[in-house]
Amino acid sequence: PRQGFVLARNIEACDGITSEKDLLSQKFSVGDEVHVRVTGMRSDGKLFLSMKDDYLNIIRRSIREKPSLSIHGTSMIDATIKNVSSVGLRVSFRLPNSKAVRNGFVPASLVSWEPYSPEVHQVGQEVKARIVNITNLGPVFSMLDKQNVSAWADVPRTRWFQGVVAKQINSRFLLMKMQFSKEDQPVMGALHSSHS
């Protein structure tokens, strides 16, 4: 048998782990069995190991195999809720063209445009989500549809638009629904109280 090191940043997050601090506080005991992969070798022959999937390469491979699919940021994929907490949802998912089940996290702010309510989500519930970031905790998902804001790119900051208040996020922000023209899709934006 060979021995190797698993660096802290390469420890897989268990259910309920939602922050870097919690990730590093996970306890392992001598004799615990974990799944690892080799990521490198030191000059003295000791191995560097990881408990995490190589998500970036997995995503790149999925896009190569199905070029019409944009995994990172736009395409919604099926996910299953594994854990519900006050800070968001742990989910399991399969990338297209893959049979492997992987884990990810949906922060509370990316679950819904409405205020986050953990009680409306259940373990085992099927949801649609898109990958928006890759962190040490694994893929970060959003359950919000990606907005097409290309029409707004060159709008002069002096031009006025009619907006509709969609909700009050908190005491400082309003969520506004706006439409550039009848041909363009409506978008949501945040209005700070200092600008109202």
Side-chain angles (χ1 to χ4, degrees), residues 158-189:
T158 53
R159 183 173 170 186
W160 293 90
F161 292 89
Q162 189 75 31
V164 177
V165 176
K167 75 170 184 178
Q168 183 160 352
I169 299 172
N170 55 39
S171 60
R172 292 180 299 152
F173 286 96
L174 292 174
L175 186 66
M176 305 292 296
K177 186 175 185 178
M178 299 174 56
Q179 195 165 5
F180 185 77
S181 69
K182 290 183 179 177
E183 292 78 36
D184 293 296
Q185 206 174 16
V187 297
M188 305 291 264

Coordinates of all heavy atoms in Angstrom, one line a residue, residues 158-189:
T158 N -27.8 58.0 -18.2 CA -28.7 59.1 -18.0 C -30.1 58.8 -18.5 O -31.0 59.6 -18.3 CB -28.2 60.3 -18.7 OG1 -27.9 60.0 -20.1 CG2 -26.9 60.8 -18.1
R159 N -30.3 57.6 -19.1 CA -31.6 57.3 -19.7 C -32.5 56.7 -18.6 O -32.1 55.9 -17.8 CB -31.4 56.3 -20.9 CG -32.8 56.0 -21.6 CD -32.5 55.1 -22.8 NE -33.8 54.6 -23.3 CZ -33.9 53.8 -24.3 NH1 -32.8 53.4 -25.0 NH2 -35.1 53.3 -24.7
W160 N -33.8 57.0 -18.6 CA -34.8 56.5 -17.7 C -35.6 55.5 -18.2 O -36.0 55.5 -19.4 CB -35.6 57.7 -17.2 CG -34.9 58.7 -16.4 CD1 -34.3 59.8 -16.9 CD2 -34.6 58.7 -15.0 NE1 -33.6 60.5 -15.9 CE2 -33.8 59.8 -14.7 CE3 -35.0 57.8 -13.9 CZ2 -33.4 60.1 -13.4 CZ3 -34.5 58.1 -12.7 CH2 -33.8 59.3 -12.4
F161 N -36.0 54.5 -17.4 CA -36.9 53.4 -17.8 C -38.0 53.2 -16.7 O -37.8 53.6 -15.5 CB -36.2 52.1 -17.9 CG -35.2 52.0 -19.0 CD1 -33.9 52.5 -18.8 CD2 -35.6 51.5 -20.2 CE1 -33.0 52.4 -19.9 CE2 -34.7 51.5 -21.3 CZ -33.4 51.9 -21.1
Q162 N -39.1 52.7 -17.1 CA -40.2 52.4 -16.2 C -39.9 51.0 -15.6 O -39.7 50.0 -16.4 CB -41.6 52.4 -16.9 CG -42.8 52.2 -16.0 CD -43.1 53.5 -15.3 OE1 -42.8 54.6 -15.8 NE2 -43.6 53.4 -14.1
G163 N -39.9 50.8 -14.3 CA -39.7 49.5 -13.7 C -40.9 49.2 -12.8 O -41.6 50.1 -12.3
V164 N -41.1 47.9 -12.5 CA -42.1 47.5 -11.5 C -41.4 46.8 -10.4 O -40.6 45.9 -10.5 CB -43.1 46.5 -12.3 CG1 -44.1 45.9 -11.3 CG2 -43.7 47.1 -13.5
V165 N -41.9 47.2 -9.2 CA -41.3 46.6 -8.0 C -41.8 45.1 -7.9 O -43.0 44.9 -7.8 CB -41.7 47.3 -6.7 CG1 -41.2 46.6 -5.4 CG2 -41.2 48.7 -6.7
A166 N -40.9 44.2 -7.9 CA -41.2 42.7 -7.8 C -41.3 42.3 -6.4 O -42.1 41.4 -6.0 CB -40.2 41.9 -8.6
K167 N -40.4 42.8 -5.5 CA -40.4 42.5 -4.1 C -39.4 43.3 -3.4 O -38.5 43.9 -4.0 CB -40.1 41.0 -3.9 CG -38.6 40.6 -4.0 CD -38.4 39.2 -3.5 CE -36.9 38.9 -3.6 NZ -36.5 37.6 -3.1
Q168 N -39.6 43.4 -2.1 CA -38.6 44.1 -1.2 C -37.7 43.0 -0.6 O -38.1 42.1 0.1 CB -39.3 44.9 -0.1 CG -38.3 45.6 0.8 CD -38.9 46.7 1.6 OE1 -40.1 47.0 1.4 NE2 -38.1 47.3 2.5
I169 N -36.4 43.1 -1.0 CA -35.5 42.0 -0.6 C -35.2 42.2 0.9 O -35.2 41.2 1.6 CB -34.2 42.1 -1.4 CG1 -34.5 41.9 -2.9 CG2 -33.2 41.1 -1.0 CD1 -33.3 42.1 -3.9
N170 N -34.9 43.4 1.3 CA -34.7 43.7 2.7 C -34.8 45.2 2.8 O -35.4 45.9 1.9 CB -33.3 43.3 3.2 CG -32.1 43.8 2.3 OD1 -32.2 44.9 1.9 ND2 -31.1 43.0 2.1
S171 N -34.4 45.8 4.0 CA -34.6 47.2 4.2 C -33.8 48.1 3.3 O -34.1 49.3 3.1 CB -34.3 47.6 5.7 OG -32.9 47.3 5.9
R172 N -32.8 47.6 2.6 CA -32.0 48.4 1.7 C -32.2 48.2 0.2 O -31.8 49.0 -0.6 CB -30.5 48.1 2.1 CG -30.1 48.6 3.4 CD -28.7 48.3 3.7 NE -28.4 46.9 3.7 CZ -27.2 46.3 3.4 NH1 -26.2 47.1 3.1 NH2 -27.1 45.0 3.4
F173 N -32.8 47.0 -0.2 CA -32.9 46.7 -1.6 C -34.3 46.4 -2.0 O -35.0 45.7 -1.3 CB -32.0 45.5 -2.0 CG -30.5 45.9 -2.0 CD1 -29.7 45.6 -0.9 CD2 -30.0 46.4 -3.1 CE1 -28.4 45.9 -0.9 CE2 -28.6 46.7 -3.2 CZ -27.8 46.5 -2.1
L174 N -34.7 46.9 -3.2 CA -35.9 46.4 -3.9 C -35.5 45.6 -5.1 O -34.6 46.0 -5.8 CB -36.7 47.7 -4.3 CG -37.4 48.5 -3.2 CD1 -38.0 49.8 -3.9 CD2 -38.4 47.8 -2.4
L175 N -36.3 44.6 -5.4 CA -36.1 43.8 -6.6 C -37.0 44.4 -7.7 O -38.2 44.5 -7.5 CB -36.3 42.4 -6.4 CG -36.0 41.4 -7.6 CD1 -34.5 41.4 -7.9 CD2 -36.5 40.0 -7.3
M176 N -36.4 44.9 -8.8 CA -37.2 45.5 -9.8 C -37.3 44.7 -11.1 O -36.3 44.0 -11.5 CB -36.6 46.9 -10.2 CG -36.4 47.8 -9.0 SD -37.9 48.5 -8.3 CE -38.6 49.4 -9.7
K177 N -38.4 44.7 -11.8 CA -38.6 44.0 -13.0 C -38.7 45.1 -14.1 O -39.4 46.1 -14.0 CB -39.9 43.2 -13.0 CG -40.0 42.3 -14.3 CD -41.3 41.4 -14.1 CE -41.4 40.5 -15.3 NZ -42.5 39.6 -15.2
M178 N -37.8 45.0 -15.2 CA -37.7 46.0 -16.2 C -37.7 45.3 -17.6 O -37.3 44.1 -17.7 CB -36.5 46.8 -16.0 CG -36.5 47.6 -14.7 SD -34.9 48.5 -14.4 CE -34.9 49.5 -15.9
Q179 N -38.0 46.1 -18.6 CA -38.0 45.6 -20.0 C -37.4 46.7 -20.9 O -37.9 47.8 -20.8 CB -39.4 45.1 -20.4 CG -39.4 44.3 -21.7 CD -40.7 43.6 -21.9 OE1 -41.7 43.8 -21.2 NE2 -40.8 42.7 -22.9
F180 N -36.4 46.4 -21.6 CA -35.7 47.3 -22.5 C -36.7 47.8 -23.6 O -36.8 48.9 -23.9 CB -34.4 46.8 -23.0 CG -33.6 47.8 -23.8 CD1 -32.9 48.8 -23.2 CD2 -33.6 47.7 -25.2 CE1 -32.2 49.7 -23.9 CE2 -32.9 48.7 -25.9 CZ -32.2 49.6 -25.3
S181 N -37.3 46.8 -24.2 CA -38.3 47.0 -25.3 C -39.2 45.8 -25.4 O -39.0 44.8 -24.7 CB -37.6 47.2 -26.7 OG -37.0 45.9 -27.1
K182 N -40.3 46.0 -26.1 CA -41.3 44.9 -26.2 C -40.7 43.6 -26.8 O -41.1 42.5 -26.6 CB -42.5 45.3 -27.0 CG -43.3 46.4 -26.3 CD -44.5 46.7 -27.1 CE -45.4 47.7 -26.3 NZ -46.5 48.2 -27.1
E183 N -39.6 43.8 -27.6 CA -38.9 42.6 -28.2 C -38.0 41.9 -27.3 O -37.6 40.8 -27.5 CB -38.2 43.1 -29.5 CG -39.0 43.6 -30.6 CD -39.5 45.0 -30.4 OE1 -38.8 45.8 -29.8 OE2 -40.7 45.3 -30.8
D184 N -37.6 42.6 -26.2 CA -36.6 42.0 -25.3 C -37.3 41.4 -24.1 O -38.3 41.8 -23.7 CB -35.6 43.1 -24.8 CG -34.7 43.6 -26.0 OD1 -33.9 42.8 -26.5 OD2 -34.8 44.8 -26.3
Q185 N -36.6 40.3 -23.6 CA -37.1 39.6 -22.4 C -37.0 40.5 -21.2 O -36.0 41.3 -21.0 CB -36.2 38.4 -22.2 CG -36.9 37.3 -21.5 CD -36.1 36.0 -21.4 OE1 -34.9 36.1 -21.7 NE2 -36.7 34.9 -21.1
P186 N -38.0 40.5 -20.2 CA -37.8 41.3 -19.0 C -36.7 40.8 -18.2 O -36.3 39.6 -18.2 CB -39.2 41.0 -18.3 CG -40.1 40.5 -19.3 CD -39.3 39.8 -20.3
V187 N -36.1 41.7 -17.4 CA -35.0 41.3 -16.5 C -35.3 41.8 -15.1 O -36.1 42.7 -14.9 CB -33.6 41.8 -17.0 CG1 -33.2 41.3 -18.4 CG2 -33.6 43.4 -17.1
M188 N -34.6 41.2 -14.2 CA -34.7 41.6 -12.8 C -33.4 42.4 -12.4 O -32.3 42.0 -12.8 CB -34.9 40.4 -11.9 CG -36.1 39.6 -12.2 SD -37.7 40.3 -12.0 CE -38.1 39.7 -10.4
G189 N -33.6 43.4 -11.5 CA -32.4 44.1 -11.0 C -32.7 44.6 -9.6 O -33.8 44.8 -9.2

